[in-house]
Amino acid sequence: MAALKGRIRHHYELASEYYFSLWGEHIHHGYFLTPSDTKERAQLRLIELLIDRSQLESCSAVLDVGCGIGGTSRYLARNHGCKVTGITISGKQVGMATKLTCDAGINTQNPTTTDSVEHGYGSAHFHEVDAETMADFFPEQGVFDCIWISEALSHLPDKPLFFRNAFKVLRPPHNDTKLPGKLVVADWFKAEDLTEKQLEDDIRPIEDGMLLPPLCTQSEYQIYAKEAGLSIFCEPLDISKDVAKTCEFCKIIPMWHKKSTPSRLGTVPSSALPARPPHLAAPTASLVVDFLSWFVLEANYDTQKDLHLYLSTMKLIVAGASGYVATEIIRQSLSISKITSVIALARAPVPVPSNLDPSADASKLHGVVIESYNFYPDDVKAQLAGADACIWTVAITPNKAWGMDFAEVRRVCHDYALIGLENIMAAQVQGRMDRSTEPLCFLYMSGAGAERDPGQRPTFDARYLLLRGETENRILAFTAENQGKVEACVAKPGFITESGRYLRTFLAMIFYHVFSLPRIDLEECARAILHQVLQGFSKETLENEDLIKIGRQKINSEGW
């Protein structure tokens, strides 16, 4: 999930000024109660609703998690005298929040600390902090009366960890004169008891479009809260119909119009009961939005066209670019606007694939010739520098391996992959030293039947399958040793077939019936692999059935 966090950070680094122009200082929904409500009034009313339901006392010490550009932090400081600490994963947002707070006439609390500003008897401080590590950033336990997180918790991959950290930094009751601290949450939720089809058709497109890990239900949040030592102070409140009007004011058009699966934007303020008196907890208000998650922006802002180009741009390396699957991956990638550069790494020049879609941009393809995959000259490294992702397809197929010296098979399938991973990761880090970096996404294409357990012996082509499994183990181990620099995924497709290639289809049927080797369509396989490097790896290992499911979903959906 490190790559997903990096994409979220990168998104807000680039888009926060745009969101400010579109939403104003409050980058969250509004709570509309009357036809005359303006967007700005409705956004403030949502804050007031949460204050009311949480019974937040004036002058409270508040941690605003996912503070954005500080709109809520300023409101709590200005109107309730709260001492607010805002944290966000984006350094850009920290800078904008600090400037906007100072521009509002707030004196600097400490002239030597640019991220601290004071407003009346309340204050607002802003820091770049990963919410999942906030307990480390605030080592003193029990320092906050309230943790406030509005429409941000759904972005966090490890939600139980967040609730545990919230418990640590919330204040316990003091001499029976003060109630324990409270956790106030407003967030997106999926409905309970969804079918697999509803999840595939409705929820997963939201997760992909919104850069979200799997969405949770309200009940799951409450379970996580209770397991962390919190209890429910106020039950969830469904206000989805009252927030939907926000989209009209922001000139936003929902990309999906289905009504079949409600996803919930909920406020689950779960108050901290630091294990002592288990009778109070934080308020819970939940906003249920009727399938409203990712949006297409109307052309009402000068930089909108540029925004779509740089929100999720990617430099992609396809290693073994002249191969069968690699050619299809390149063909599809040239039609994906988010991929702005495709590096075709091969031992010979790679031509532009035939049968390109009308939307394809062949100018994005850049060939890089490497004499041998066991040595990367400086000029090759320079062309690979700064890549976001690599799809590694270099290998010898089982049928070709049968007639070869196995030492050569091992060199190509095993040694080349490890040498390539190390060199491409180093080039990626070197090429991005001047800016905050995401880990390299490295997808290693192995195959169904590859055996990672050396104690097992496959019934068919054991030496080859154990070799591929050994390579998978080494790649995943290298990733674990280089956390923060690289994130890896192993794709294990079966026999790859293609429409119109009847001999391959016939062979696939034989291999399935004789060796139980599954098969997958070429287009589905390439589509699934590209989806994973674009959106972040959903699993460390993608089996053949995973690739089929993802590939078919993307083929049946529109766009990337």
Side-chain angles (χ1 to χ4, degrees), residues 208-238:
D208 292 344
M210 292 288 289
L211 299 177
L212 300 175
L215 282 169
C216 293
T217 62
Q218 287 182 359
S219 61
E220 287 175 316
Y221 272 29
Q222 294 182 31
I223 290 171
Y224 298 152
K226 291 176 181 178
E227 289 176 344
L230 309 171
S231 60
I232 303 302
F233 179 80
C234 180
E235 291 300 320
L237 174 67
D238 177 354

Side-chain angles (χ1 to χ4, degrees), residues 17-252:
E17 289 185 359
Y18 178 82
Y19 288 151
F20 179 40
S21 75
L22 185 71
W23 290 75
E25 65 172 328
H26 297 284
I27 307 178
H28 60 73
H29 285 76
Y31 182 41
F32 292 85
L33 295 183
T34 69
S36 61
D37 281 344
T38 63
K39 172 177 66 68
E40 291 73 20
R41 179 70 194 99
Q43 288 173 316
L44 295 180
R45 186 179 281 119
L46 177 57
I47 298 174
E48 292 163 356
L49 171 70
L50 300 182
I51 291 172
D52 178 66
R53 292 181 68 81
S54 64
Q55 300 178 21
L56 180 67
E57 297 179 356
S58 60
C59 304
S60 293
V62 178
L63 177 62
D64 184 4
V65 179
C67 65
I69 56 177
T72 297
S73 298
R74 285 188 290 278
Y75 186 88
L76 294 175
R78 177 189 303 115
N79 296 81
H80 292 270
C82 293
K83 310 302 193 272
V84 186
T85 301
I87 63 173
T88 170
I89 200 171
S90 165
K92 173 72 172 181
Q93 289 189 333
V94 169
M96 291 180 65
T98 302
K99 183 178 187 304
L100 288 169
T101 309
C102 290
D103 289 348
I106 300 168
N107 295 323
T108 302
Q109 186 179 30
N110 181 348
T112 63
T113 305
T114 58
D115 292 345
S116 298
V117 289
E118 189 169 311
H119 191 167
Y121 57 92
S123 61
H125 314 259
F126 303 100
H127 302 280
E128 183 178 354
V129 178
D130 181 346
E132 290 183 347
T133 65
M134 64 185 186
D136 298 325
F137 190 82
F138 303 106
E140 185 178 351
Q141 306 264 311
V143 294
F144 294 105
D145 301 308
C146 173
I147 295 176
W148 184 290
I149 180 166
S150 180
E151 301 180 35
L153 181 50
S154 51
H155 279 300
L156 305 186
D158 194 340
K159 294 174 179 63
L161 175 62
F162 170 80
F163 282 100
R164 293 195 298 271
N165 284 336
F167 177 86
K168 292 177 182 177
V169 301
L170 280 169
R171 173 183 46 74
H174 182 65
N175 296 331
D176 295 328
T177 61
K178 282 190 118 179
L179 296 177
K182 297 175 180 178
L183 170 61
V184 183
V185 181
D187 209 1
W188 298 85
F189 299 106
K190 65 183 178 185
E192 306 278 353
D193 302 321
L194 299 179
T195 66
E196 183 62 29
K197 184 175 186 340
Q198 289 174 317
L199 290 171
E200 286 292 333
D201 292 349
D202 297 342
I203 298 301
R204 292 193 179 118
I206 294 175
E207 294 166 350
D208 292 344
M210 292 288 289
L211 299 177
L212 300 175
L215 282 169
C216 293
T217 62
Q218 287 182 359
S219 61
E220 287 175 316
Y221 272 29
Q222 294 182 31
I223 290 171
Y224 298 152
K226 291 176 181 178
E227 289 176 344
L230 309 171
S231 60
I232 303 302
F233 179 80
C234 180
E235 291 300 320
L237 174 67
D238 177 354
I239 61 171
S240 59
K241 294 180 181 178
D242 301 311
V243 302
K245 193 175 180 181
T246 307
C247 303
E248 301 173 18
F249 281 85
C250 292
K251 304 295 184 186
I252 294 175

Side-chain angles (χ1 to χ4, degrees), residues 12 28 77 117 169 230 278 285 334 338 395 439 459 520:
Y12 285 110
H28 60 73
V117 289
V169 301
L230 309 171
L334 296 178
K338 293 179 183 179
T459 56
I520 184 172

Side-chain angles (χ1 to χ4, degrees), residues 312-507:
S312 301
T313 59
M314 172 175 284
K315 178 178 180 179
L316 172 66
I317 299 170
V318 181
S322 60
Y324 179 55
V325 178
T327 299
E328 176 64 14
I329 290 172
I330 292 172
R331 187 188 71 81
Q332 292 188 24
S333 68
L334 296 178
S335 299
I336 302 173
S337 60
K338 293 179 183 179
I339 299 176
T340 53
S341 178
V342 181
I343 306 300
L345 183 64
R347 291 188 298 175
V350 174
V352 175
S354 59
N355 301 321
L356 290 179
D357 291 337
S359 60
D361 180 0
S363 68
K364 296 191 296 187
L365 181 63
H366 306 282
V368 176
V369 176
I370 186 168
E371 186 175 338
S372 173
Y373 285 107
N374 63 5
F375 176 68
Y376 287 73
D378 290 341
D379 63 319
V380 170
K381 289 181 180 179
Q383 295 177 81
L384 305 180
D388 300 284
C390 174
I391 299 172
W392 188 270
T393 69
V394 180
I396 295 174
T397 59
N399 61 318
K400 291 183 179 179
W402 291 339
M404 293 180 62
D405 179 357
F406 195 74
E408 176 67 10
V409 175
R410 180 178 182 85
R411 187 165 67 92
V412 174
C413 293
H414 182 80
D415 298 349
Y416 284 176
L418 297 174
I419 294 169
L421 171 56
E422 185 173 356
N423 279 273
I424 293 170
M425 182 194 76
Q428 190 253 15
V429 173
Q430 181 180 4
R432 310 184 94 191
M433 287 178 63
D434 59 335
R435 52 195 171 104
S436 63
T437 181
E438 305 173 35
L440 170 73
C441 292
F442 187 89
L443 189 142
Y444 173 67
M445 187 171 163
S446 183
E451 178 56 67
R452 295 181 188 174
D453 184 354
Q456 299 294 322
R457 187 163 185 84
T459 56
F460 170 74
D461 207 3
R463 188 166 60 161
Y464 178 85
L465 294 176
L466 285 168
L467 170 65
R468 299 304 298 268
E470 180 189 351
T471 309
E472 293 177 10
N473 285 333
R474 289 288 301 276
I475 286 173
L476 296 176
F478 182 88
T479 302
E481 294 165 2
N482 291 274
Q483 289 187 2
K485 294 181 180 179
V486 61
E487 188 169 83
C489 172
V490 175
K492 305 182 71 165
F495 197 109
I496 298 173
T497 62
E498 184 181 3
S499 177
R501 301 284 293 270
Y502 302 111
L503 178 58
R504 291 190 69 89
T505 302
F506 177 71
L507 291 173

